[in-house]
Amino acid sequence: MWRDHLTEIIVFTALFLLVSAMGFVAARWRAPRDMAHLDEWGLGGRNFGGWITWFLVGGDLYTAYTFVAVPALVFGAGAMGFFAVPYTIVIYPLVFLVLCRLWSVSHRHGFVTPADFVRRRFDSPVLALLVAITGIVATMPYIALQLVGIEAVLKTMGVTGESALARHLPIIIAFAILAAYTYQSGLRAPALIAFVKDTLIYIVILVAVLWLPYKLGGWGAIFDSAEAKFAASPNPNDGILLNANNQLQYVTLAFGSALALFLYPHSITGVLASRNRDVIKRNMSALPAYSLLLGLIALLGYMAIAADVKPLPGATAGSSDGNTIVPVLFDQQFPDWFAGVAYAAIGIGALVPAAIMSIAAANLFTRNIYKEYLKRDASPAQEANVSKITSLVVKVGAVACIVFLDPQFSIDLQLIGGVIILQTLPAVALGLYTRWFHRGALVAGWVAGMSTGMWMLYQIGNPVTGRKHFAGSAFPLSEFGFDTKKTIYVGIVAVLVNLAVAALVTLALRAAKVADGVDGTASDDYFADEGDPRVTPGSTRDADAAPEPVA
């Protein structure tokens, strides 16, 4: 009952109201010139410095869902759950220079979305539309998953009801407040709130990794408890160490997730809001500090095993909700007031990425669908207004996913989202370095990669949940005719197919001398920095010149 958690509810509510107030105040923070412009509403004026960007991007990538799902996976499967740690380490060297180039060309041309860049680089509205739709579709379930984190906290505090409406009413209220201050303040709201969110998470996790091992008998006892649990598991792939059957899945999932991370529109939005290239370079060097925190968060799964934590009942009879592992652990092992702080960290941790994701999805719709196909002469004020309204629609859609869909299906949708967004890698990431791929070939590669990924995902079932299709992203190699029990991450196979088709079709189209459009960027655009002049749309160079492709 909620009365047994009154202190936790009071602390949670107080901190939630505090950050909500900060969200509304953010509209006046850093003196925006004119909020009726996507540069101000959607990118915070493109003027965030090192600390703001660090908290914003970190708060965007390390979400409430991360806080509850990674330990839950470690609790249920063991070592496999640690895939999130190496992928958030290897990603930063991979994107260090890539993101600097993206920032520079976006600063020079005023791009707001990755699809803006693809449109200008490849002179292809069709390819840009595919990139935009892919980004929106991949982002929607990600927003819904932030609600899964809040729902786990509310369930642990006993804030539930018999009917679907009563059970989800607190989430609806929370997202209504989020929608209101995001509509008013734009990207400044999550940027300001991220300071509070990340500070709370750091405090909670550091206290937990110091206190819980002491209380549970030390790290040796914790790992012994985990090893004993997995030894009795009917799944041979569960354990505190990987085995021959799941190593390939672990490696490909980690690498594929790393490649996908900064292709998500919300990740790019945080980068484009930076003041200059040096801010990005410093952040790519400093963001691995969050990976250390993520490793500590993952260990909460083993601590929950040692503490004999039992997840709360799930939505269906006889099921359990693994996402409640961490909230229940804090409820059992800490004083009520500190558990309330931990719950607030998770709840606020959902608001920051949800706001950025909805803004990023709205920017894609506005720039690459509304302005490209519905109203080419839209003014900056009209763009900002459409983006605000779209962000509200996106949030309503995310709430609907939680209210009407099984939360487990939302989780599976997010895994599918990673496979989907990877198909933009050739056009966006590789496009920053080379114009070699033909625009028609990139469209063909996208179709081939997406079709392959969807076919593979359709073949994946889960006998535990009873779902026959789209029940994960681990594809058994036996389906390809190999005599093995190994699995591989679908996203890696799909993007390799994408690249192979794009390369082959490029050679064919070049041989057939099919027109490839005009590259609207120049070599020096990819090295532009703060203070460098921007290219005015419709200028002589922008419209008539054919700059040398960047190799």
Side-chain angles (χ1 to χ4, degrees):
M1 290 293 293
W2 65 269
R3 292 182 181 85
D4 298 328
H5 302 274
L6 189 58
T7 301
E8 299 168 356
I9 293 173
I10 292 173
V11 173
F12 175 88
T13 304
L15 289 172
F16 188 89
L17 291 176
L18 170 64
V19 300
S20 297
M22 292 175 64
F24 287 106
V25 171
R28 300 181 180 276
W29 179 48
R30 300 179 68 84
R33 295 188 299 272
D34 181 12
M35 285 296 283
H37 196 293
L38 276 188
D39 271 9
E40 290 294 344
W41 185 85
L43 292 178
R46 298 181 187 259
N47 197 35
F48 289 160
W51 280 107
I52 299 174
T53 302
W54 190 73
F55 279 106
L56 178 66
V57 176
D60 184 22
L61 302 182
Y62 301 86
T63 67
Y65 178 66
T66 304
F67 203 119
V68 299
V70 172
L73 183 56
V74 171
F75 178 90
M80 194 66 197
F82 283 91
F83 85 92
V85 179
Y87 103 65
T88 56
I89 294 174
V90 302
I91 181 58
Y92 299 113
L94 288 175
V95 302
F96 185 91
L97 296 177
V98 175
L99 292 179
C100 286
R101 293 174 72 89
L102 178 61
W103 183 92
S104 291
V105 71
S106 299
H107 171 76
R108 177 65 63 87
H109 290 270
F111 299 151
V112 176
T113 70
D116 283 349
F117 161 71
V118 170
R119 175 69 172 87
R120 184 69 58 86
R121 176 70 150 150
F122 295 99
D123 193 17
S124 175
V126 173
L127 183 59
L129 177 64
L130 292 177
V131 170
I133 293 175
T134 304
I136 294 171
V137 171
T139 302
M140 284 294 294
Y142 222 148
I143 301 173
L145 281 186
Q146 306 316 309
L147 295 174
V148 172
I150 297 180
E151 191 170 50
V153 166
L154 295 173
K155 184 183 292 186
T156 305
M157 291 191 297
V159 184
T160 58
E162 295 297 327
S163 67
L165 177 60
R167 187 167 64 252
H168 294 106
L169 185 60
I171 292 180
I172 295 173
I173 294 173
F175 255 55
I177 296 173
L178 169 67
Y181 65 66
T182 303
Y183 185 92
Q184 175 178 314
S185 304
L187 193 66
R188 284 176 170 80
L192 190 58
I193 293 172
F195 283 94
V196 177
K197 172 254 186 185
D198 291 347
T199 301
L200 286 177
I201 287 182
Y202 266 100
I203 292 173
V204 168
I205 296 304
L206 291 177
V207 169
V209 298
L210 292 174
W211 171 249
L212 287 177
Y214 168 77
K215 189 174 183 181
L216 298 173
W219 286 108
I222 290 173
F223 278 93
D224 287 344
S225 297
E227 190 170 21
K229 174 183 183 289
F230 295 128
S233 172
N235 188 340
N237 291 329
D238 293 347
I240 62 172
L241 297 175
L242 298 172
N243 59 43
N245 289 332
N246 60 12
Q247 288 174 357
L248 179 63
Q249 170 68 14
Y250 183 91
V251 171
T252 54
L253 178 58
F255 185 62
S257 299
L259 292 177
L261 188 61
F262 274 98
L263 291 172
Y264 277 105
H266 56 92
S267 303
I268 293 175
T269 295
V271 170
L272 296 186
S274 304
R275 178 183 300 144
N276 53 43
R277 289 168 61 97
D278 284 342
V279 168
I280 299 171
K281 292 176 183 178
R282 291 197 301 269
N283 270 272
M284 293 303 107
S285 301
L287 278 168
Y290 277 97
S291 299
L292 171 63
L293 183 68
L294 181 59
L296 299 177
I297 290 174
L299 288 171
L300 292 175
Y302 287 159
M303 297 181 203
I305 294 173
D308 197 28
V309 168
K310 301 290 189 255
L312 296 178
T316 58
S319 66
S320 60
D321 185 356
N323 291 316
T324 60
I325 291 294
V326 169
V328 171
L329 174 66
F330 278 91
D331 183 52
Q332 294 179 355
Q333 301 295 324
F334 287 98
D336 289 351
W337 68 268
F338 189 80
V341 173
Y343 297 161
I346 297 174
I348 297 168
L351 301 182
V352 172
I356 302 171
M357 291 170 190
S358 65
I359 290 171
N363 288 346
L364 280 168
F365 174 82
T366 301
R367 290 291 291 246
N368 308 114
I369 297 178
Y370 173 76
K371 186 169 184 177
E372 182 74 35
Y373 294 97
L374 302 179
K375 191 173 178 59
R376 287 182 175 271
D377 60 346
S379 67
Q382 288 173 322
E383 285 184 29
N385 189 52
V386 169
S387 198
K388 288 179 179 181
I389 295 172
T390 305
S391 73
L392 296 179
V393 174
V394 168
K395 294 183 186 72
V396 171
V399 173
C401 287
I402 291 299
V403 173
F404 298 110
L405 295 180
D406 181 354
Q408 180 58 46
F409 187 56
S410 296
I411 295 170
D412 293 336
L413 280 177
Q414 193 275 326
L415 294 174
I416 295 170
V419 176
I420 291 173
I421 201 66
L422 262 177
Q423 306 318 307
T424 64
L425 184 143
V428 177
L430 298 185
L432 287 165
Y433 280 90
T434 179
R435 184 62 165 71
W436 181 80
F437 288 105
H438 193 285
R439 59 183 180 178
L442 288 172
V443 172
W446 182 93
V447 172
M450 197 68 71
S451 300
T452 301
M454 290 300 102
W455 173 81
M456 293 175 70
L457 290 166
Y458 182 81
Q459 303 300 318
I460 299 173
N462 187 335
V464 176
T465 62
R467 187 173 294 117
K468 296 181 180 180
H469 308 291
F470 298 107
S473 59
F475 188 81
L477 289 178
S478 59
E479 293 287 336
F480 287 142
F482 294 100
D483 184 17
T484 179
K485 295 182 179 179
K486 294 181 180 179
T487 59
I488 190 170
Y489 177 52
V490 171
I492 287 292
V493 178
V495 78
L496 288 176
V497 170
N498 185 334
L499 288 167
V501 170
L504 291 173
V505 176
T506 292
L507 293 174
L509 293 177
R510 293 266 191 267
K513 301 187 184 310
V514 176
D516 194 17
V518 177
D519 182 357
T521 68
S523 299
D524 62 341
D525 291 345
Y526 296 87
F527 301 94
D529 207 345
E530 182 183 19
D532 289 346
R534 290 190 176 186
V535 173
T536 304
S539 65
T540 302
R541 196 196 90 179
D542 188 44
D544 303 324
E548 180 184 351
V550 180

